[in-house]
Amino acid sequence: MKILPTFRFKFSNNNHLLMTDLFDKLLKNRGPLGMHSKESYGYFMFPKLEGEISNRMVFRGKEKLVWSLNNYLGLANHPEVRSTDASAAGEFGFALPMGARMMSGNSDNHEKLERDLAAFEGKEASILLNYGYQGIMSAIDCLVDRHDVIVYDSESHACIIDGVRLHMGKRFVYPHNDIENLEKQLTRATRIANETGGAILVITEGVFGMSGDQGKLREIVELKKKFSFRLLVDDAHGFGTMGKTGAGVGEEQGVQDGIDIYFGTFAKSMAMIGGFIASDDQVVDYLRHNMRSQIFAKSLPMALVVGAQKRLDLLKSKPELKDNLWKIVNALQSGLKNAGFEIGKTQSPVTPVYLNGTIPEATNLIIDLRENYDIFCSMVVYPVVPKGIIILRLIPTAVHTLEDVNYTIDAFSKIYGKLKSGQYQADRIIPVAN
Ligand SMILES: Cc1ncc(COP(=O)(O)O)c(C=O)c1O
């Protein structure tokens, strides 16, 4: 669609700003990502990975070793998952049930999945979410009112930040995993809650998706002895991957009971879409009757609910999926460290590799890696991280092999050598093998 220029004067006679057309600014400022849209479409942004979801997929007509999918347990293409998905789609289609859960969109399958998720998480009840992102935003919105205070980790995912934005009361942020500072924020929050008669909600993540480190849940839960608050944990990356049974980071750190509201998504370990919140009976009942994103939106289609149930059953009955994941995680992370790479503080499958370089160097490096070594991984640069830092983010899965790991470490050592010797500087063009 062509956006027509507007015909208004920007200033009136007395120099007051006059209104503009809403689209004017979209033309001038396309945003930090949109500004690169022309050069990066289809390659760095919106790439198309084709073929069966696995460790090897096709990018621009050529097979690549893929390290960028959150298919942690390899369930995306598990034969039992594929056959359940196909038969559920055949039996129910994607329309059933029509409407929001509360109105006409409920079913026995939805309720059974909720009971099973709650039992798996060691909670009394759970509520399904038609999307994880909206679900958690809306849960935050639903749980607090203007008298309450939110205290949250500075590296929280965008869905938490958006949920906090909806909050009409006070909020305090603490630097990532800084428990001393969290105590300070809790002291401030307690003062305010005492004035307003409100309460405190602390929000953090189980696994932080960029750095891979875990939220310090044990220390946060310990603070409940000193302060009165409820704890919401977004365990999108921890559900299915962390803890003895895969119940997540609460289980891993032995503090599942201290998590008052547990959020998990189906979009990562379950390789699907949707999510859930598990908590006490009364909290879930309150969410069910007050959470706007679920009351005013269509419920998860039955075929997806049946698919999610199958995935949960496999996740519980096949511990070898998680064992395979961790075999690859351990080999990749120790191999990278032994080869001299900096992988930061990760305590989860998320594997960031930190390098130093400019954005043109990062661009050349990723092209070389993708075209000449056939490795597809994501790259994070400024403004997401400080200038001069390049993060190559690898997501190991249960369907990767030790050969994939060795090949990747070898290729990374080569590109690292090239980066250090200046071969990726902006004036050099990396030759691409045919
Ligand atoms: C930490 C975290 N929370 C929430 C979400 C949103 O989940 P969904 O993709 O199910 O909407 C994501 C997904 O990227 C995530 O990484």
Side-chain angles (χ1 to χ4, degrees):
M1 183 186 75
K2 195 158 168 45
I3 302 176
L4 297 172
T6 54
F7 300 104
R8 288 182 205 91
F9 294 110
K10 284 280 159 65
F11 290 93
S12 67
N13 289 339
N14 56 7
N15 260 2
H16 281 130
L17 274 178
L18 282 182
M19 68 177 292
T20 59
D21 185 283
L22 184 68
F23 292 167
D24 284 355
K25 63 175 174 287
L26 325 187
L27 297 175
K28 283 198 210 101
N29 177 3
R30 301 194 52 75
L33 298 174
M35 66 194 274
H36 302 296
S37 64
K38 278 210 183 71
E39 320 85 85
S40 53
Y41 184 85
Y43 202 89
F44 297 104
M45 288 191 262
F46 304 99
K48 292 172 191 159
L49 283 170
E50 294 165 319
E52 299 281 310
I53 297 174
S54 191
N55 54 340
R56 284 169 200 281
M57 294 181 73
V58 174
F59 175 67
R60 287 156 65 105
K62 200 165 169 217
E63 192 179 87
K64 306 288 166 189
L65 172 53
V66 176
W67 291 103
S68 63
L69 307 181
N70 293 313
N71 178 27
Y72 286 121
L73 301 177
L75 285 177
N77 243 332
H78 191 285
E80 290 184 45
V81 163
R82 291 298 297 266
S83 95
T84 300
D85 287 352
S87 65
E91 185 177 351
F92 301 110
F94 288 115
L96 188 79
M98 285 295 286
R101 284 290 290 285
M102 189 183 268
M103 305 306 288
S104 49
N106 199 16
S107 83
D108 286 345
N109 286 334
H110 286 69
E111 290 181 352
K112 173 171 175 12
L113 179 57
E114 287 178 336
R115 283 194 300 276
D116 288 0
L117 285 163
F120 183 58
E121 288 303 333
K123 299 288 179 201
E124 287 175 1
S126 88
I127 174 170
L128 289 177
L129 307 169
N130 43 19
Y131 279 98
Y133 195 111
Q134 288 95 317
I136 195 163
M137 263 176 78
S138 181
I140 296 169
D141 175 52
C142 170
L143 288 165
V144 289
D145 67 29
R146 66 194 167 84
H147 304 294
D148 300 326
V149 187
I150 297 180
V151 182
Y152 65 104
D153 188 286
S154 62
E155 282 186 19
S156 293
H157 188 268
C159 60
I160 296 174
I161 305 293
D162 286 358
V164 172
R165 281 176 174 178
L166 292 174
H167 178 45
M168 310 274 255
K170 289 271 182 212
R171 83 272 320 248
F172 297 112
V173 61
Y174 61 94
H176 176 52
N177 263 344
D178 183 339
I179 298 300
E180 222 176 282
N181 192 282
L182 169 59
E183 269 204 70
K184 276 192 200 143
Q185 305 310 330
L186 280 170
T187 307
R188 295 168 81 188
T190 304
R191 205 176 312 124
I192 290 172
N194 275 332
E195 280 164 17
T196 60
I200 301 172
L201 175 65
V202 173
I203 311 175
T204 188
E205 293 186 29
V207 169
F208 286 83
M210 281 293 148
S211 50
D213 59 340
Q214 295 174 24
K216 292 189 176 166
L217 304 190
R218 211 177 296 125
E219 287 90 332
I220 298 175
V221 169
E222 191 62 23
L223 285 175
K224 286 187 170 182
K225 292 185 183 149
K226 229 168 138 183
F227 298 92
S228 166
F229 63 88
R230 294 290 182 178
L231 176 62
L232 163 59
V233 174
D234 175 343
D235 205 18
H237 290 272
F239 175 70
T241 67
M242 307 296 299
K244 192 161 178 289
T245 68
V249 174
E251 181 184 43
E252 172 88 17
Q253 297 187 15
V255 289
Q256 186 70 353
D257 288 347
I259 300 176
D260 300 291
I261 306 135
Y262 179 94
F263 164 85
T265 173
F266 297 160
K268 301 187 194 288
S269 283
M270 303 263 270
M272 219 193 68
I273 199 149
F276 70 98
I277 284 173
S279 185
D280 296 347
D281 251 335
Q282 286 185 344
V283 175
V284 170
D285 188 60
Y286 181 81
L287 292 172
R288 227 180 261 299
H289 294 91
N290 294 281
M291 217 164 134
R292 295 166 67 82
S293 69
Q294 306 307 305
I295 296 173
F296 298 106
K298 191 174 187 296
S299 94
L300 262 186
M302 187 81 91
L304 296 190
V305 171
V306 172
Q309 182 75 54
K310 181 71 200 179
R311 286 158 172 82
L312 178 64
D313 293 346
L314 288 173
L315 195 152
K316 290 194 295 192
S317 64
K318 293 194 180 301
E320 62 271 24
L321 297 172
K322 189 160 70 68
D323 295 345
N324 286 345
L325 163 69
W326 277 95
K327 188 177 79 185
I328 300 298
V329 172
N330 291 332
L332 181 69
Q333 295 187 350
S334 61
L336 284 165
K337 276 197 242 170
N338 291 341
F341 286 99
E342 172 59 61
I343 62 168
K345 293 182 288 188
T346 184
Q347 303 161 300
S348 71
V350 176
T351 307
V353 177
Y354 296 89
L355 302 171
N356 294 103
T358 61
I359 291 185
E361 281 178 313
T363 309
N364 274 332
L365 179 151
I366 210 85
I367 293 173
D368 195 21
L369 199 56
R370 214 173 270 184
E371 300 302 326
N372 297 325
Y373 297 92
D374 292 322
I375 292 178
F376 189 105
C377 66
S378 23
M379 174 183 77
V380 186
V381 289
Y382 178 81
V384 181
V385 289
K387 270 192 181 138
I389 294 182
I390 306 170
I391 302 179
L392 299 177
R393 185 166 169 271
L394 303 178
I395 302 291
T397 72
V399 290
H400 282 99
T401 64
L402 291 176
E403 289 73 52
D404 294 338
V405 170
N406 293 336
Y407 175 80
T408 302
I409 293 169
D410 196 41
F412 270 43
S413 299
K414 290 183 180 133
I415 56 140
Y416 187 36
K418 291 187 192 177
L419 177 69
K420 279 197 298 190
S421 63
Q423 291 186 50
Y424 293 131
Q425 279 168 9
D427 52 343
R428 320 222 177 165
I429 304 290
I430 296 300
V432 172
N434 286 319

